[in-house]
Amino acid sequence: MGTYQRPDGWEILGDPSRRAIVECLAERPRAVGELADTLPISRPAVSQHLKVLKDAGLVDDEAAGTRRVYRLNPAGVSALRDQLDMFWKRTLQGFEEIVEDDERNAVTEAPEQDEGKS
Amino acid sequence: MGTYQRPDGWEILGDPSRRAIVECLAERPRAVGELADTLPISRPAVSQHLKVLKDAGLVDDEAAGTRRVYRLNPAGVSALRDQLDMFWKRTLQGFEEIVEDDERNAVTEAPEQDEGKS
DNA sequence: ACGAACGGTAAGCTACGACTTACCAAAGCC
DNA sequence: GGCTTTGGTAAGTCGTAGCTTACCGTTCGT
């Protein structure tokens, strides 16, 4: 269902392989073959993931001979993180105080007498 | 305690409907029917999502007559957010400095960078 | 120029997850 | 007690994301 929002960061990082690639690229730039050798998936699979990541602006590629070195795009990464943070901001808005309060008690049994609807 | 091996936080929030439910529940506790009425999916679908969320410790349910009111579990929410933050911490380790540096240059979301690579 | 290395793309298969309808259980209301 | 409301569960369908193999272009080495 695309009724909610356009494809967001969750779809991109929702895939474990993609997350692994990002983490791997966070260490240092790597060629496609290197990534494929590290990950438990084939090289074409890596290529496809890289395409998604590149399309999302998360990575940059750079030709180096017959190889093609990929690296994280800082701007894209921070932008995506920003986007995900927005979700938390919206979700925890007027709610985090309850979170902290609840964490102190460690018990979710706040005695309530009002259970009526709105 | 959560002895479950909860699926990755990304998998849980990877679904748009689930995110919508979480956001909806962040506003205020709601019954299943209310959620189903708000969302573009059927009531059973909501139930199934709620099961996933509850299994992940993200929501608590409370019987209220024939209805069942669901609400966010603050501890679970913060735990999950913590989990996701761990990813960023690991990813941006030794990398965030570059990110911040780049953020200054590309605040307005620089479209592309052409590198005249030889 | 020929062969090897490297990588992207196409086509196809498979698996899983999300959604639906149908049915059943539990609790209120008259 | 019987009907209504509300939810959870079962069973089944369907779409799609991810992976693989096969193939082709490009670039380097000799």
Side-chain angles (χ1 to χ4, degrees):
Chain A
M1 320 302 277
T3 325
Y4 306 98
Q5 295 170 349
R6 56 251 178 248
D8 33 32
W10 264 290
E11 311 247 338
I12 295 169
L13 292 182
D15 182 68
S17 298
R18 229 127 52 197
R19 283 200 303 275
I21 290 177
V22 169
E23 290 193 68
C24 199
L25 253 47
E27 292 182 20
R28 60 156 172 238
R30 294 198 190 241
V32 181
E34 284 182 275
L35 290 169
D37 189 54
T38 302
L39 302 170
I41 58 179
S42 67
R43 186 174 41 73
V46 173
S47 260
Q48 289 160 11
H49 283 306
L50 285 172
K51 183 176 184 178
V52 174
L53 293 173
K54 185 184 176 185
D55 197 52
L58 270 172
V59 300
D60 278 329
D61 58 335
E62 169 191 3
T66 69
R67 297 193 184 152
R68 189 154 273 262
V69 179
Y70 281 80
R71 56 183 234 187
L72 285 190
N73 182 343
V77 171
S78 69
L80 181 124
R81 204 205 170 171
D82 232 31
Q83 185 183 346
L84 297 192
D85 269 344
M86 229 176 355
F87 168 81
W88 291 112
K89 215 170 215 169
R90 212 181 325 148
T91 297
L92 303 181
Q93 192 180 30
F95 187 73
E96 46 194 353
E97 49 196 44
I98 309 176
V99 172
E100 293 175 357
D101 180 60
D102 190 281
E103 275 184 325
R104 283 192 196 117
N105 300 331
V107 176
T108 50
E109 289 179 323
E112 292 188 4
Q113 51 199 5
D114 176 56
E115 60 188 27
K117 48 238 175 201
S118 61
Chain B
M1 276 316 189
T3 46
Y4 309 98
Q5 183 178 10
R6 34 189 77 139
D8 220 60
W10 297 99
E11 310 227 343
I12 295 170
L13 292 181
D15 183 68
S17 298
R18 228 129 50 196
R19 281 199 304 274
I21 290 177
V22 168
E23 290 193 68
C24 198
L25 254 45
E27 292 182 19
R28 64 181 319 129
R30 297 203 186 235
V32 181
E34 285 182 273
L35 291 169
D37 189 55
T38 302
L39 303 170
I41 58 178
S42 67
R43 189 177 44 71
V46 173
S47 261
Q48 290 161 11
H49 283 307
L50 285 172
K51 183 176 184 179
V52 173
L53 292 173
K54 185 184 176 187
D55 198 50
L58 269 173
V59 300
D60 279 328
D61 57 335
E62 171 191 2
T66 69
R67 303 208 269 188
R68 189 154 273 264
V69 178
Y70 281 79
R71 65 172 60 187
L72 284 192
N73 182 343
V77 171
S78 68
L80 181 124
R81 205 208 169 169
D82 233 30
Q83 184 185 341
L84 297 193
D85 269 344
M86 236 186 337
F87 168 80
W88 291 111
K89 218 173 216 168
R90 213 180 326 147
T91 298
L92 303 181
Q93 193 180 28
F95 188 73
E96 48 194 352
E97 48 195 45
I98 309 175
V99 172
E100 291 176 358
D101 179 61
D102 191 279
E103 264 183 329
R104 283 188 197 123
N105 300 333
V107 172
T108 50
E109 192 138 344
E112 318 214 347
Q113 60 231 265
D114 43 63
E115 62 265 2
K117 223 288 183 182
S118 63

